[in-house]
């Protein structure tokens, strides 16, 4: 992964998040053609939110996304918008989802930050800053 930074005129950032979430009851409903449409919807909504989906994989019972977004907007808001939008559209377009599930997604999700450098490198860099200012 190359190091590219973004700016929102307030901050310069390089924030990437690994996000995983599941359909309600972990039902295996994300199969063709639902999975293909879901990918399209994720990309469409991410662009609207000024976020970038760097990678994505749709499994029958869960979703993996690697998302780059503005930390001031927040990963929580990005995930909330992605889940809400895709649930609404997919349940309208694929009637079987509406009859099998009270809502498409669970409320919960997993998120972890993804760095371009290792933690120990950053710790050493921060520690060395005091020495530089002396």
């Amino acid at each position: 992964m190359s190091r590219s930074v973004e700016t929102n005129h307030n901050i310069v950032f390089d924030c990437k998040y690994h996000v995983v979430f599941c359909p309600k009851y972990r039902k295996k409903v994300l199969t063709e053609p639902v999975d293909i449409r879901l990918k399209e919807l994720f990309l469409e909504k991410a662009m609207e939110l000024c976020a970038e989906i760097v990678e994505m994989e749709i499994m029958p019972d869960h979703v993996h996304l690697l998302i780059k977004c503005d930390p001031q907007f927040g990963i929580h808001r990005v995930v909330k918008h992605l889940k809400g939008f895709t649930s609404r559209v997919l349940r309208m377009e694929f009637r079987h989802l509406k009859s099998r599930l009270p809502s498409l997604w669970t409320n919960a999700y997993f998120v972890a930050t993804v760095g371009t450098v290792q933690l120990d490198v950053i710790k050493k860099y921060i520690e060395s800053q005091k020495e530089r200012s002396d």
Side-chain angles (χ1 to χ4, degrees):
M1 217 179 281
S2 66
R3 177 97 183 193
S4 65
V5 295
E6 303 287 328
T7 183
N8 68 5
H9 305 292
N10 256 351
I11 57 173
V12 177
F13 61 90
D14 179 17
C15 296
K16 296 181 190 80
Y17 305 90
H18 178 201
V19 178
V20 183
F21 51 90
C22 309
K24 200 83 161 169
Y25 313 120
R26 196 123 188 204
K27 295 256 189 192
K28 296 182 180 197
V29 295
L30 306 177
T31 56
E32 280 191 38
V34 175
D35 62 338
I36 294 166
R37 181 67 175 131
L38 180 57
K39 286 181 180 182
E40 294 169 353
L41 293 172
F42 278 148
L43 293 171
E44 176 185 326
K45 190 64 175 180
M47 187 179 297
E48 182 183 311
L49 297 171
C50 297
E52 177 186 350
I53 297 180
V54 179
E55 283 293 328
M56 81 173 109
E57 194 58 59
I58 311 295
M59 306 302 289
D61 64 346
H62 66 284
V63 171
H64 286 271
L65 300 173
L66 181 57
I67 300 172
K68 184 174 184 177
C69 72
D70 183 334
Q72 285 187 317
F73 187 76
I75 189 63
H76 174 73
R77 286 174 64 192
V78 171
V79 172
K80 180 180 171 183
H81 283 276
L82 289 174
K83 288 169 74 174
F85 174 70
T86 57
S87 178
R88 188 171 49 259
V89 173
L90 290 175
R91 287 164 49 86
M92 281 188 334
E93 292 180 6
F94 300 96
R95 295 286 179 195
H96 70 280
L97 294 176
K98 204 168 195 172
S99 63
R100 292 184 65 192
L101 299 167
S103 62
L104 181 57
W105 305 113
T106 61
N107 289 332
Y109 63 92
F110 166 83
V111 64
T113 56
V114 178
T116 52
V117 294
Q118 296 177 352
L119 180 61
D120 59 334
V121 174
I122 293 173
K123 282 182 176 180
K124 286 178 185 172
Y125 173 76
I126 292 171
E127 289 169 3
S128 74
Q129 294 307 294
K130 178 132 175 98
E131 296 166 7
R132 287 182 164 186
S133 65
D134 291 341

